[in-house]
Amino acid sequence: MLKVAKFGGSSMADAVQFAKVKAIVESDPARRVIVVSAPGKRNKEDHKVTDLLYLCSAHIKYGVSCEKIFDLIRLRYQEIADDCGLRLDLKDEFDALWRKMTSGEADQEYLASRGEYFAARLMADYLGFDFLDSTMWLHFRMDGTVDQEVSYQALQRAASGRRVVIPGFYGVLPDGSIHTFSRGGSDITGALAAAALDADV
């Protein structure tokens, strides 16, 4: 039996929520494919990571510094890693992302996708699962529609015999660039993964 599990932003908000996810996943060995969103709000005054990433993109567009916002994002992931006792060090990847942002290489969709990307990296490490980047299987056509046949075959090959954590919300265009679904699109990623793998649940 195979179950695909999707966890939204509130389930990824902090280390306490990560622990709940781990307990749910480990309670059923059939839950071998996990799709995650970016961290959501921890309280009413908090911000969703995706909102902060979009805000960074807007600042860059208008030539306004977003360094303080980016530092909040970086700190959020570091706190989760530290509180979960993870040894995974994302510093170099965040530094590389910042360089892309400041050089103009990171467009809005690429930047927005990093919320799920980093969340999945942490969750994979926490669960002891493999990280499977959505660019390795979720293929869009240039018009933004999902190429289901190509995507399904790619995921069947990539996930075969493995326990994986997949970032939701994005995939790859034929030219290699990142493309995102509309907000809430991580649910679509979960549905596509379940269909591709003919999941029981």
Side-chain angles (χ1 to χ4, degrees):
M1 178 170 280
L2 171 65
K3 296 180 180 180
V4 174
K6 156 65 176 46
F7 293 95
S10 59
S11 297
M12 300 293 293
D14 56 26
V16 172
Q17 297 303 112
F18 264 55
K20 292 178 183 177
V21 169
K22 187 172 187 177
I24 290 168
V25 172
E26 291 183 344
S27 71
D28 187 344
R31 294 182 178 126
R32 300 194 304 274
V33 176
I34 312 302
V35 178
V36 300
S37 295
K41 292 183 177 183
R42 293 162 292 188
N43 53 63
K44 288 183 179 180
E45 288 72 38
D46 202 11
H47 300 283
K48 296 179 179 180
V49 165
T50 303
D51 289 340
L52 295 176
L53 288 164
Y54 277 124
L55 191 57
C56 281
S57 181
H59 277 58
I60 292 168
K61 180 179 179 180
Y62 293 106
V64 179
S65 174
C66 64
E67 189 168 3
K68 289 183 178 179
I69 302 167
F70 186 74
D71 286 344
L72 286 176
I73 297 167
R74 184 197 292 258
L75 179 61
R76 183 79 176 274
Y77 287 98
Q78 190 59 56
E79 286 178 346
I80 292 172
D82 290 345
D83 292 346
C84 287
L86 303 181
R87 293 183 178 180
L88 179 65
D89 187 356
L90 297 175
K91 181 183 182 301
D92 289 346
E93 289 196 65
F94 271 106
D95 288 346
L97 176 57
W98 179 248
R99 287 193 296 272
K100 276 192 171 188
M101 291 164 64
T102 54
S103 66
E105 295 177 63
D107 64 16
Q108 178 176 277
E109 292 194 81
Y110 178 83
L111 191 51
S113 75
R114 299 303 86 183
E116 276 73 13
Y117 171 84
F118 285 118
R121 290 289 312 279
L122 291 179
M123 184 56 75
D125 193 58
Y126 190 48
L127 293 175
F129 282 26
D130 295 331
F131 168 73
L132 177 58
D133 197 345
S134 292
T135 59
M136 300 303 294
W137 72 275
L138 211 171
H139 295 270
F140 290 96
R141 301 182 184 91
M142 285 309 296
D143 65 1
T145 58
V146 175
D147 188 331
Q148 286 178 266
E149 183 178 355
V150 171
S151 297
Y152 286 13
Q153 290 176 359
L155 185 58
Q156 288 161 14
R157 289 192 301 269
S160 179
R162 302 167 71 194
R163 299 181 304 167
V164 297
V165 177
I166 299 171
F169 188 45
Y170 70 90
V172 65
L173 289 166
D175 65 2
S177 59
I178 296 287
H179 183 65
T180 59
F181 291 112
S182 57
R183 291 299 295 269
S186 291
D187 290 339
I188 302 174
T189 306
L192 289 168
L197 299 172
D198 194 23
D200 297 283
V201 178

